[in-house]
């Protein structure tokens, strides 16, 4: 296009034509540049818009309750007194349970894939795990409700309750009755959900270790375990933590997998078997039916808290992964 | 010798734990897929694709939900893809190391994993509330906000994979910058760009939370974008939590359909960008 | 609010849609109570077959119905918790009862058949207060000398959403238990002392049928359709009654609709030897000044059709249709729904 334009311009003696063509091209260039830049700015504007709309939406609640909103346990649409503590507590507990299960298992899978798995199986299993990371969370929710929760209620929880009933601290952690659904069940479903993330990110991170380091470790007679423990993990620590934080960010904000099996009770209870609620489950359950401005506004304030919480976690995660990328480069 | 023995023992313990972890994790995931197949296939019939969502106790299918999902996803992708692509182009071609690009990159990565229910709240505030009613359009806009980060990220990644020498060669022939981007970089990264769109579709096709209070739901066939619109995930949510056996069956079948679609999309996306590993 | 900025854009968008003529078959949208959902869905299906016009009713809970109709996001709202006359005035709505049904306690106990277990108000209140925690508690045993009750822990299932069913249920518990009245009170959503929350009558029914040892409360149609184990109750007259058309009818008979503005009537704990203690009417809410006149007129047409032709379907699902005299009163009240030209929208 441009060289054609130039040729035709050369063919004519008039320099003005050439200048015109070049000016047109330059204008097009500028427009294209500005359009792409505007699109990039829009991404920022969207984030700004999200934060702004959440802040504006939660003002009535924050004005009504002040900072006490964060530590109040009441959730009473009758008296219009709302507090975020049960939802925040449930969010943190379920995500904590999920991480306790998913991190060791995920790292185990990553180790397995990089060091132990027969070569022929590495790719298929790796791909399978990556594909599973894309399965929508509602699938985990429906499975948790129909398959997992009844199983837990009948076979697992009665055992847990009687097993720990005489142990001082654990008895309150596993106090009945066996509901089947509750914080432990939700945490476990979350764990299965974030497992593929942790496994595939950790595997990618482990693969950034220069082979020469591993060979050196093997050369001085390290066992596989010692190589992982003293070479791979220290080298990739930042990336692994970043990956775990990324999974944590997902777990904190997860809605559907939790909403099905959390039990929707606005209570802070020490027992893991008790029903609870999370921020996202509360919003999903109550937003369309919240009557009154304070109620709606309290839910939006919950959304704001969730957004800030995940924002911080994800920001830390990204920062750590970025550091590892620089190191790898 | 004893030291050697302990080291051996410790190693075999650690490796068996890794094996166990792998088996444990993969077993659960396959268990979920197996129950999904078993429960979902039982209700799979032609009626699922040809009939509307039924009231309790009647026979029906998921046609309006499937159609609603397709329509909203299509509009969401149509809005989100150009924005995400153009922004990704800026990041890779123009502003690689500018402050703006750095900030956008960081923000976008956060948006990539941000809780989708918050996006739903945002759209409710700016669209549903002022319009005065739930609508398919609001649902589509909520989905488009989830499409943008995915497309932006893959576009940027794929354009960065295009060797600089190609751009330089085109520029040396006198091609202007916009021309280089459109005809050289885009062409070289075509498969990757399509991958981004496919991944975005896979990402939004199972999203429930942002649709709950934007598109709501609709018992009937509706092609009116300004009215509430059914979608597969919301119908699954409603039907699974209901006490009716035939509704629960439809929920399983719908879940199977979504999973099949997502897996098909992801596999196609992988095949397109084979050999290119992304983080 | 940001919304103001967007309102203009929204108006422009709506105007554009109006110009392109988006209306196809006339669909009316409603949202609210889950209590009458089974019958509204049935009516909607029949009505669509007969007229081609659909009614998109989303059962999101009474609280949601009130919220959405106040925000005018739907054509009509539905609630089992009637609004008081002054609230109706403030929101510029009219309200009328559409059908009457009964709320029944449902349990999930091995070896206990539907209608076998008997409960009374105070015991029910103690269970939902979390004071009675096991099925072999003396209070339950006293009422059920014959039933085989094991030491299964009680799992209380209540609603997580704003619900008219909850309003009527807690209204009843407040009438029969002072403890309940002072500690919890009555409303569409309360601070529950115990148990798990489920979304809608659907969710409660689902959870009870999935959870051993559970007790919940649902509209009778849900118990029947899903073959749940409902209990009998001891009513205000001290008699044991089973849920059903007859006992709901008896409770409804004592209501004096004509004298109550906005048809505000609560019919829990009514006198009468045969009265079911937790009966309730479910109400429709419609704006007097509808933005979409065609939809409002169509909604009135639908409810008129339901009063005239929906009785049989209602009784099949154990709802009580409104008596003819009351329907006349209701139709008179529809005259308040006016179009922009000041004429009533209802076709008499």
């Amino acid at each position: 296009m441009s060289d054609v334009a130039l040729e035709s311009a050369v063919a004519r003696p008039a320099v003005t034509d050439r200048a015109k063509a070049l000016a047109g091209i330059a204008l097009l260039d500028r427009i294209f540049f500005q359009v792409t830049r505007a699109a990039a700015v829009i991404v920022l504007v969207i984030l700004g818009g999200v934060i702004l709309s959440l802040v504006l939406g939660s003002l009535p609640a924050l004005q009504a309750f002040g900072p006490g909103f964060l530590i109040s346990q009441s959730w009473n649409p009758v008296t219009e007194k709302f507090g975020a503590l049960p939802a925040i507590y449930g969010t943190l507990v379920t995500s904590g349970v999920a991480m306790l299960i998913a991190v060791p298992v995920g790292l185990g899978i990553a180790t397995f894939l990089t060091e132990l798995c027969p070569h022929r199986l590495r790719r298929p299993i790796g791909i399978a795990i990556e594909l599973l990371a894309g399965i929508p969370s509602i699938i985990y929710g429906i499975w948790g409700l129909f398959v997992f929760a009844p199983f837990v209620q009948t076979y697992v929880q009665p055992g847990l309750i009687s097993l720990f009933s005489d142990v001082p601290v654990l008895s309150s952690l596993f106090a009945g009755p066996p509901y089947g659904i509750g914080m432990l069940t939700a945490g476990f479903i979350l764990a299965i959900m974030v497992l593929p993330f942790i496994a595939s990110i950790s595997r990618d991170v482990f693969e950034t270790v220069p082979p020469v380091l591993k060979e050196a470790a093997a050369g001085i007679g390290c066992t596989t375990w010692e190589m992982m423990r003293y070479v791979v993990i220290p080298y990739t620590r930042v990336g692994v933590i970043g990956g775990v934080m990324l999974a944590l960010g997902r777990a904190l904000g997860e809605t559907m997998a939790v909403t099905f099996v959390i039990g929707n009770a606005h209570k802070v209870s020490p027992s893991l078997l008790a029903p609870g609620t999370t921020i996202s489950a509360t919003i999903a359950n109550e937003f369309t039916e919240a009557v009154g401005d304070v109620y709606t506004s309290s839910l939006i304030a919950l959304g704001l808290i969730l957004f800030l919480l995940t924002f911080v976690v994800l920001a830390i995660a990204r920062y750590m992964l970025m550091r590892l990328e620089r190191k790898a480069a | 010798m004893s030291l050697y023995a302990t080291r051996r023992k410790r190693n075999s313990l650690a490796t068996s734990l890794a094996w166990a972890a792998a088996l444990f994790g993969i077993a659960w995931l396959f268990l979920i897929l197996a129950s999904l197949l078993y429960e979902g296939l039982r209700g799979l019939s032609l009626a699922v694709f040809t009939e509307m969502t039924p009231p309790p106790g009647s026979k029906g299918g998921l046609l309006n939900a499937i159609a609603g999902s397709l329509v909203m996803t299509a509009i969401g992708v149509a809005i989100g893809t150009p924005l995400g692509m153009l922004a990704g182009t800026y990041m890779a071609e123009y502003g690689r190391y500018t402050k703006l690009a750095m900030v956008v990159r960081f923000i976008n990565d956060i948006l990539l994993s941000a809780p989708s229910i918050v996006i739903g709240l945002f759209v409710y505030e700016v669209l549903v509330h002022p319009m005065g009613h739930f609508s398919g359009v609001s649902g589509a806009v909520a989905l488009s906000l989830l499409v943008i980060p995915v497309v932006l990220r893959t576009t940027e990644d794929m354009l960065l994979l295009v060797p600089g020498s190609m751009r330089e060669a085109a520029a040396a022939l006198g091609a202007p910058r916009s021309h280089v981007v459109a005809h050289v970089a885009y062409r070289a990264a075509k498969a990757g760009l399509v991958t981004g769109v496919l991944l975005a579709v896979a990402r939004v096709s199972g999203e429930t939370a942002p649709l709950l209070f934007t598109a709501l739901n609709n018992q009937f066939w509706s092609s009116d974008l300004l009215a509430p619109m059914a979608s597969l995930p919301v119908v699954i949510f409603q039907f699974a939590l209901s006490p009716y056996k035939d509704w629960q069956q439809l929920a399983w079948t719908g879940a199977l359909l979504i999973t099949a679609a997502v897996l098909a999309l992801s596999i196609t996306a992988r095949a397109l960008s084979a050999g290119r590993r992304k983080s | 609010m940001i919304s103001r900025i967007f309102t203009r854009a929204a108006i422009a968008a709506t105007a554009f849609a109006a110009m392109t003529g988006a209306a196809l078959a006339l669909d009316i949208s409603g949202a609210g109570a889950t209590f009458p959902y089974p019958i509204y869905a049935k009516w909607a299906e029949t009505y669509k077959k007969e007229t081609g016009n659909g009614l998109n009713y989303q059962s999101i809970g009474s609280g949601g119905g009130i919220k959405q109709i106040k925000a005018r996001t739907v054509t009509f709202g539905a609630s089992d918790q009637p609004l008081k006359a002054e609230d109706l005035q403030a929101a510029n709505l009219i309200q009328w009862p559409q059908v009457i049904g009964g709320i029944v306690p449902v349990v999930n106990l091995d070896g206990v058949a539907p209608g076998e277990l008997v409960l009374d108000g105070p015991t029910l209140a103690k269970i939902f207060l979390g004071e009675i925690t096991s099925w072999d508690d003396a209070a339950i045993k006293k009422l059920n000398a014959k039933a085989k009750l094991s030491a299964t822990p009680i799992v209380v299932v209540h609603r997580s959403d704003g619900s008219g069913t909850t309003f009527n249920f807690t209204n009843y518990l407040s009438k029969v238990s002072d403890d309940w009245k002072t500690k919890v009170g009555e409303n569409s959503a309360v601070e529950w002392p115990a148990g798990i929350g489920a979304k809608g009558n659907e969710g409660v029914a689902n959870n009870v049928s999935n959870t051993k040892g559970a007790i919940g409360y649902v509209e009778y149609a849900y118990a029947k359709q899903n073959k749940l184990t409902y209990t009998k109750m001891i009513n205000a007259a001290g008699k044991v009654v089973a849920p059903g058309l007859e006992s709901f009818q008896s409770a409804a008979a004592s209501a004096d609709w004509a004298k109550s503005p906005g048809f505000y009537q609560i019919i829990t704990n009514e006198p009468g030897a045969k009265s079911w203690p937790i009966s309730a009417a479910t109400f429709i809410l419609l704006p007097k000044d509808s933005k979409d006149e065609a939809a409002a007129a169509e909604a009135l047409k639908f409810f008129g059709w339901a009063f005239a032709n929906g009785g049989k379907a209602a009784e099949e699902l154990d709802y009580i249709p409104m008596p003819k005299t009351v329907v006349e009163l209701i139709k008179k009240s529809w005259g308040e729904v006016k179009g922009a030209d000041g004429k009533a929208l209802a076709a008499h």
Side-chain angles (χ1 to χ4, degrees):
Chain A
M1 174 187 110
S2 56
D3 22 6
V4 177
L6 285 177
E7 261 173 46
S8 62
V10 172
R12 263 178 258 142
V15 185
T16 49
D17 277 5
R18 184 188 173 120
K20 244 190 217 144
L22 278 172
I25 289 165
L27 180 71
L28 195 73
D29 251 8
R30 255 207 314 279
I31 290 172
F32 188 72
F33 167 71
Q34 291 299 346
V35 166
T36 59
R37 191 152 170 270
V41 172
I42 285 177
V43 174
L44 289 187
V45 172
I46 288 172
L47 184 86
V50 170
I51 294 175
L52 188 69
S53 76
L54 289 178
V55 168
L56 285 176
S58 47
L59 276 182
L62 297 175
Q63 277 161 353
F65 307 118
F69 183 70
L70 288 174
I71 48 166
S72 156
Q73 276 202 46
S74 76
W75 190 265
N76 191 332
V78 184
T79 55
E80 294 216 315
K81 285 207 167 33
F82 300 100
L85 191 65
I88 296 174
Y89 172 81
T91 305
L92 295 177
V93 169
T94 48
S95 295
V97 170
M99 289 295 128
L100 274 180
I101 299 169
V103 171
V105 176
L107 290 179
I109 295 179
T111 308
F112 172 80
L113 281 176
T114 47
E115 304 299 332
L116 307 168
C117 184
H119 270 275
R120 263 175 318 163
L121 290 179
R122 263 178 213 196
R123 255 187 77 78
I125 293 182
I127 290 175
I129 285 181
E130 276 175 35
L131 288 178
L132 287 167
I135 289 187
S137 59
I138 195 162
I139 311 298
Y140 294 92
I142 187 173
W143 179 82
L145 180 73
F146 286 123
V147 182
F148 190 65
F151 168 79
V152 168
Q153 196 205 5
T154 318
Y155 300 105
V156 182
Q157 290 187 348
L160 282 175
I161 293 164
S162 55
L163 184 65
F164 296 117
S165 59
D166 306 328
V167 190
V169 179
L170 291 174
S171 66
S172 61
L173 262 188
F174 297 101
Y179 288 105
I181 57 183
M183 290 193 287
L184 184 66
T185 309
F188 193 86
I189 301 275
L190 272 184
I192 300 177
M193 221 192 95
V194 296
L195 194 57
F197 281 107
I198 297 183
S200 61
I201 291 180
S202 310
R203 185 203 53 183
D204 291 348
V205 166
F206 287 169
E207 282 179 351
T208 60
V209 180
V212 71
L213 287 183
K214 287 194 196 174
E215 285 155 15
I220 57 168
C222 284
T223 59
T224 310
W225 162 244
E226 286 160 350
M227 185 176 80
M228 288 301 298
R229 167 89 181 65
Y230 298 106
V231 177
V232 177
I233 302 263
Y235 186 89
T236 56
R237 192 179 331 128
V238 177
V240 169
I241 295 174
V244 168
M245 297 286 269
L246 203 61
L248 177 63
R250 291 231 166 201
L252 289 170
E254 179 45 50
T255 309
M256 283 301 144
V258 178
T259 305
F260 278 95
V261 292
I262 185 80
N264 310 318
H266 282 280
K267 271 202 151 39
V268 174
S269 86
S271 171
L272 284 177
L273 306 186
T277 188
T278 67
I279 294 179
S280 50
T282 303
I283 299 172
N285 263 323
E286 301 179 23
F287 194 78
T288 40
E289 54 240 9
V291 193
D293 291 345
V294 180
Y295 194 173
T296 311
S297 169
S298 300
L299 288 170
I300 295 175
L302 275 181
L304 179 66
I305 293 168
L306 177 67
F307 192 66
L308 295 176
L309 191 70
T310 48
F311 192 97
V312 170
V313 169
L314 293 169
I316 295 171
R318 282 296 164 191
Y319 176 72
M320 288 184 150
L321 287 169
M322 230 157 65
R323 268 180 51 187
L324 187 89
E325 271 169 33
R326 287 217 189 105
K327 192 168 157 184
Chain B
M1 185 61 221
S2 71
L3 174 69
Y4 183 62
T6 15
R7 284 178 56 207
R8 283 246 327 249
K9 252 200 210 110
R10 200 170 284 167
N11 183 51
S12 55
L13 179 72
T15 47
S16 22
L17 277 179
W19 269 96
L23 286 176
F24 173 84
I26 291 164
W28 278 113
L29 293 165
F30 276 96
L31 195 64
I32 292 178
L33 286 183
S35 19
L36 186 65
L37 274 174
Y38 172 75
E39 298 279 358
L41 284 174
R42 280 199 305 186
L44 203 59
S45 67
L46 194 61
V48 171
F49 303 98
T50 56
E51 293 187 21
M52 304 301 159
T53 46
S58 309
K59 289 260 169 290
L62 296 166
L63 174 59
N64 46 342
I66 295 170
S69 271
L70 287 176
V71 168
M72 284 192 282
T73 306
I75 298 175
V77 169
I79 300 171
T81 304
L83 266 171
M85 259 195 188
L86 287 168
T89 307
Y90 172 80
M91 319 267 290
E93 299 290 335
Y94 291 108
R96 231 174 253 195
Y97 300 109
T98 55
K99 263 218 177 71
L100 174 67
M102 292 284 189
V103 174
V104 170
R105 192 170 296 132
F106 197 74
I107 295 295
N108 187 66
D109 278 347
I110 284 172
L111 282 177
L112 205 56
S113 325
S116 53
I117 195 153
V118 172
I119 302 291
L121 284 177
F122 168 65
V123 174
Y124 181 89
E125 285 274 297
V126 299
L127 267 182
V128 179
H129 192 70
M131 275 169 80
H133 53 86
F134 300 104
S135 61
V137 168
S138 320
V141 169
L143 292 183
S144 76
L145 294 181
L146 296 167
V147 167
I148 293 172
V150 181
V151 174
L152 193 155
R153 178 78 203 252
T154 40
T155 303
E156 189 194 2
D157 284 349
M158 292 300 162
L159 286 176
L160 288 178
L161 288 175
V162 177
S165 52
M166 282 175 75
R167 293 189 189 87
E168 286 154 18
L173 289 173
R177 197 63 213 268
S178 54
H179 196 90
V180 173
V181 173
H183 292 265
V184 179
Y186 277 177
R187 191 166 298 177
K190 196 157 73 183
L193 299 182
V194 176
T195 302
V197 177
L198 289 178
L199 285 175
V201 175
R203 165 78 207 270
V204 299
S205 52
E207 277 293 350
T208 319
L211 295 176
L212 282 175
F213 29 82
T214 51
L216 198 67
N217 198 349
N218 196 329
Q219 203 182 327
F220 298 107
W221 174 264
S222 168
S223 52
D224 182 1
L225 280 172
L226 293 171
M229 196 174 246
S231 64
L232 210 41
V234 176
V235 166
I236 292 173
F237 181 53
Q238 185 194 358
F239 281 17
L241 285 173
S242 82
Y244 310 110
K245 285 279 169 284
D246 41 3
W247 272 19
Q248 292 175 2
Q249 181 57 65
L250 277 173
W252 275 111
T253 307
L256 179 66
L257 291 180
I258 287 189
T259 312
V262 169
L263 287 180
L265 284 163
S266 322
I267 290 169
T268 317
R270 288 190 69 89
L272 271 176
S273 61
R276 295 177 178 164
R277 291 290 310 280
K278 309 191 289 61
S279 62
Chain C
M1 290 252 356
I2 308 183
S3 44
R4 239 174 253 140
I5 307 166
F6 285 90
T7 317
R8 285 185 194 164
I11 291 170
T14 333
F16 173 72
M19 281 190 302
T20 51
L24 297 144
L26 198 58
D27 277 1
I28 33 182
S29 67
T34 58
F35 175 101
Y37 176 70
I39 181 62
Y40 290 179
K42 199 88 210 149
W43 280 344
E45 193 189 19
T46 317
Y47 190 69
K48 178 124 187 160
K49 274 185 196 134
E50 285 186 18
T51 64
N53 292 334
L55 164 89
N56 176 24
Y57 182 74
Q58 294 300 323
S59 63
I60 57 174
S62 296
I66 294 169
K67 179 187 174 188
Q68 300 306 347
I69 193 64
K70 278 184 177 167
R72 303 287 196 266
T73 56
V74 283
T75 315
F76 69 91
S79 167
D80 333 318
Q81 177 180 12
L83 289 180
K84 297 216 162 71
E86 56 268 28
D87 294 337
L88 289 171
Q89 207 57 46
N92 205 13
L93 298 167
I94 67 161
Q95 162 180 290
W96 72 86
Q98 188 68 33
V99 282
I100 289 166
I103 297 157
V104 299
V106 285
V107 298
N108 179 341
L109 287 168
D110 287 333
V112 175
E116 196 181 327
L117 205 67
V118 178
L119 293 171
D120 61 6
T123 310
L124 196 60
K126 279 206 180 82
I127 291 175
F128 275 82
L129 279 167
E131 288 167 9
I132 295 178
T133 56
S134 170
W135 281 109
D136 61 355
D137 190 278
I140 302 177
K141 275 201 156 144
K142 206 172 88 186
L143 294 166
N144 302 281
K146 288 194 190 118
K148 294 186 290 290
L149 293 163
S150 61
T152 318
I154 295 181
V155 175
V156 170
V157 183
H158 54 72
R159 292 281 291 270
S160 66
D161 49 343
S163 141
T165 310
T166 298
F167 167 78
N168 285 294
F169 185 71
T170 51
N171 169 283
Y172 169 70
L173 292 181
S174 299
K175 281 178 183 169
V176 294
S177 155
D178 287 338
D179 248 9
W180 185 272
K181 194 171 181 163
T182 49
K183 284 182 185 161
V184 186
E186 59 178 73
N187 205 306
S188 55
V190 294
E191 282 201 61
W192 294 96
I196 46 184
K199 204 171 154 62
N201 266 295
E202 298 91 342
V204 174
N206 176 323
N207 261 317
V208 169
S209 61
N210 274 341
T211 313
K212 287 269 173 285
I215 180 167
Y217 56 96
V218 294
E219 205 290 321
Y220 186 50
Y222 288 89
K224 236 174 110 155
Q225 283 180 326
N226 301 297
K227 302 183 180 62
L228 296 173
T229 308
Y230 57 86
T231 72
K232 287 187 175 136
M233 290 289 296
I234 294 175
N235 64 12
K239 296 274 189 294
V240 175
V241 282
L245 277 179
E246 191 191 18
S247 58
F248 303 160
Q249 193 90 53
S250 165
S254 53
D256 186 359
W257 300 102
K259 289 208 175 58
S260 33
F263 299 100
Y264 188 99
Q265 278 285 343
I266 311 291
I267 48 174
T268 57
N269 213 25
E270 291 288 337
K274 286 183 177 162
S275 295
W276 179 252
I278 333 175
S279 303
T282 181
F283 298 81
I284 302 288
L285 299 159
L286 198 75
K288 288 179 187 173
D289 55 333
S290 198
K291 275 191 296 191
D292 185 348
E293 291 176 22
E298 183 59 37
L300 289 173
K301 213 185 284 173
F302 169 81
F303 290 115
W305 172 91
F307 280 135
N309 312 308
K312 194 165 157 295
E315 285 183 357
E316 279 168 10
L317 290 167
D318 288 281
Y319 292 92
I320 315 280
M322 299 308 292
K324 281 215 162 41
T325 48
V326 184
V327 172
E328 288 310 311
L329 290 173
I330 291 169
K331 286 193 165 163
K332 212 171 282 168
S333 76
W334 287 356
E336 290 180 62
V337 182
K338 293 191 171 75
D341 56 1
K343 286 210 182 90
L345 290 178
H348 283 291

